Amino acid sequence: MRSFRPRPRHAHRGSSVGAALGALVLAGTAALTAHGTATAQPAPLDWIQNGNFRHPLSLGWNCQGEFVQTGQIVEGRPSGTDYAGCTQTVPVVPGTRYQFSAYMSGPYTFVTISGTGTDTGEVTLWDSGTTFKSLATTLLIGDSRQVTVTFHGWYGQGPYQVSQVQMIGPIYPSECEFPTPTPGVPAPTSTKPCMPRPSTPPTGPGVPTPTPTPTPTGP
């Protein structure tokens, strides 16, 4: 019996990644002080292109396999040699977090985020059922400037459905909290783990700036 660990086979590097990275600057200025502390942050935006599937699947997604698109729901139909998968390369800001979510249903439905530049490297949401479920996670970005988002089913299983894939950010870290020193007591380095300082988003040719997307309420 095959393992159900997803292994995306068709990673796609979008030609507009550099331009999309530049749009992070247009989204808002992440002004840094001389010490690297973020003093202003762009408002979190949804960076998945056509994640609500209001347009043809070919917009934003690189797919292999059989798919049927009905309204804002995409149905993938895996075969014995094909897991019906779609990928998209998404720009990110190093040292920040993103809120990732997706609605999915069907036997062994996966949404995977790879290339985060952290120890985990790859994050997977998955479910196997007949009703839509909303799954979500927080992505911690290390030194990466782009990640690959992939959704797919599994070989030889039945059709699966995906709707409203979102990746909202960047969310910048708060400054580390240092307590007031107490005489005679060694001071801890910090009261909570410190995320790495975010780097300044790179500049590049402008692309249409993403607009804030409301939190989904259902497929």
Side-chain angles (χ1 to χ4, degrees):
M1 180 176 182
R2 287 178 175 160
S3 169
F4 289 108
R5 175 173 175 76
R7 297 183 181 276
R9 301 178 300 172
H10 305 290
H12 171 61
R13 184 182 179 91
S15 60
S16 61
V17 171
L21 281 166
L24 285 169
V25 178
L26 300 179
T29 302
L32 303 180
T33 67
H35 300 288
T37 302
T39 58
Q41 304 172 7
L45 304 173
D46 183 11
W47 288 94
I48 301 290
Q49 185 179 13
N50 193 27
N52 54 20
F53 306 118
R54 293 178 179 172
H55 304 285
L57 192 56
S58 58
L59 177 61
W61 298 96
N62 179 35
C63 302
Q64 299 206 12
E66 182 182 356
F67 296 89
V68 174
Q69 187 172 354
T70 303
Q72 293 176 237
I73 296 176
V74 170
E75 179 175 283
R77 299 178 176 180
S79 67
T81 59
D82 180 326
Y83 62 17
C86 296
T87 66
Q88 180 175 148
T89 302
V90 182
V92 291
V93 177
T96 63
R97 292 177 291 119
Y98 290 76
Q99 296 296 328
F100 186 86
S101 63
Y103 279 85
M104 59 182 70
S105 71
Y108 299 103
T109 308
F110 300 88
V111 180
T112 299
I113 306 94
S114 58
T116 61
T118 63
D119 291 339
T120 56
E122 182 176 285
V123 178
T124 299
L125 304 176
W126 77 279
D127 190 56
S128 185
T130 58
T131 59
F132 268 95
K133 290 184 180 178
S134 175
L135 299 181
T137 189
T138 298
L139 302 177
L140 174 60
I141 305 300
D143 58 1
S144 181
R145 292 186 180 275
Q146 65 182 42
V147 296
T148 299
V149 177
T150 305
F151 65 83
H152 63 87
W154 200 252
Y155 305 96
Q157 302 297 316
Y160 69 92
Q161 296 80 38
V162 173
S163 178
Q164 295 182 355
V165 182
Q166 291 187 319
M167 184 170 154
I168 298 177
I171 302 169
Y172 285 79
S174 300
E175 293 187 51
C176 296
E177 297 175 352
F178 293 89
T180 302
T182 301
V185 178
T189 56
S190 176
T191 58
K192 65 180 181 181
C194 299
M195 294 178 62
R197 296 288 188 189
S199 62
T200 305
T203 59
V207 296
T209 304
T211 54
T213 302
T215 301
T217 57

